[in-house]
Amino acid sequence: MPEEVHRGETVKYSVQIVGVGGQGVLLASMVLGTAAMRAGHKVRMSEVHGMAQRGGSVLSTLRFGDDVVSPLEATGGADLIMGFEPVETVRSMGLGSRDTAVLMNLDPVYPGNVAAGFDTYPDVEALVREIEGRNGHVVTVEATRIAVEAGKAVAANAVMIGAVAAMEGFPLERDLLKEVLLETVPQKFRDLNAKAFDMGYDAISKRD
């Protein structure tokens, strides 16, 4: 797992953000990337790969640090995998190594064939066990459930951004991430996103 970054140290950090269309992967990429720029880092972000419409797999790569040239990361080189959806998190594990930090949302998005009753979704606990068998740095969060508690399920991406701010070794500060998030979302949703962010942060920072 990446070591905690202290002031004055050289920073080079790579995040793979995965999920499905409609979950706010692009928003998360924009918030993290903007926060990294404000923190003085060079930032490179890939275009979102996959189908951006609701339900399609989406992947965004964000790299930032003192000397970052390319938005592309070598296979297995991610410092953090930020998984918005359980199956997509499992699919993305090859982007990291056993030392990669993993933030995994436990709330699934059911594909159309599952919603229609033609197929079944894998057991989420089994998916977690599969990831833990490959990696000892998995942190799970029920982002959608927490977002509903905050006010609306659509704020799950704000929960995830708050949660990542609490991840050990993540080099961007909580207050900066929250500030950028609230500047990015429409004004009428700022209170909702602020509450969701704080609840996501607390879900990780206050666990035993």
Side-chain angles (χ1 to χ4, degrees):
M1 191 171 183
E3 297 291 336
E4 185 173 356
V5 177
H6 299 282
R7 295 186 184 279
E9 292 185 2
T10 299
V11 176
K12 185 176 287 187
Y13 202 85
S14 174
V15 185
Q16 300 283 5
I17 307 175
V18 299
V20 300
Q23 286 194 295
V25 168
L26 180 56
L27 174 69
S29 298
M30 292 173 58
V31 169
L32 268 60
T34 300
M37 283 190 286
R38 290 194 186 173
H41 301 300
K42 294 181 181 178
V43 177
R44 297 291 182 268
M45 187 172 71
S46 73
E47 296 180 358
V48 175
H49 297 284
M51 302 174 67
Q53 72 263 30
R54 186 170 298 275
S57 298
V58 179
L59 164 66
S60 181
T61 302
L62 173 69
R63 303 181 70 231
F64 61 89
D66 302 322
D67 186 22
V68 175
V69 177
S70 170
L72 301 179
E73 180 59 73
T75 300
D79 294 295
L80 169 69
I81 294 172
M82 192 174 178
F84 278 56
E85 205 284 331
V87 166
E88 297 300 328
T89 306
V90 172
R91 288 176 178 167
S92 73
M93 290 305 294
L95 301 171
S97 68
R98 295 192 65 85
D99 296 324
T100 297
V102 180
L103 175 64
M104 179 183 185
N105 178 20
L106 295 178
D107 298 314
V109 175
Y110 298 117
N113 59 334
V114 172
F118 297 119
D119 205 348
T120 57
Y121 191 92
D123 179 72
V124 173
E125 291 184 3
L127 294 175
V128 174
R129 290 194 297 270
E130 181 176 345
I131 291 178
E132 290 177 339
R134 308 187 207 177
N135 181 295
H137 307 294
V138 182
V139 175
T140 60
V141 61
E142 294 177 290
T144 306
R145 180 190 61 78
I146 292 171
V148 170
E149 289 182 9
K152 286 188 178 181
V154 70
N157 52 5
V159 174
M160 290 292 288
I161 296 169
V164 81
M167 292 282 287
E168 182 181 355
F170 190 70
L172 300 177
E173 294 182 357
R174 172 187 180 177
D175 289 347
L176 177 58
L177 286 167
K178 186 175 180 180
E179 174 185 297
V180 173
L181 170 66
L182 298 185
E183 290 175 1
T184 304
V185 300
Q187 184 172 359
K188 64 181 179 179
F189 295 127
R190 285 178 184 169
D191 288 346
L192 169 64
N193 279 270
K195 185 176 181 180
F197 178 97
D198 289 340
M199 291 176 71
Y201 185 90
D202 290 346
I204 303 305
S205 64
K206 295 182 178 180
R207 65 175 52 189
D208 294 332

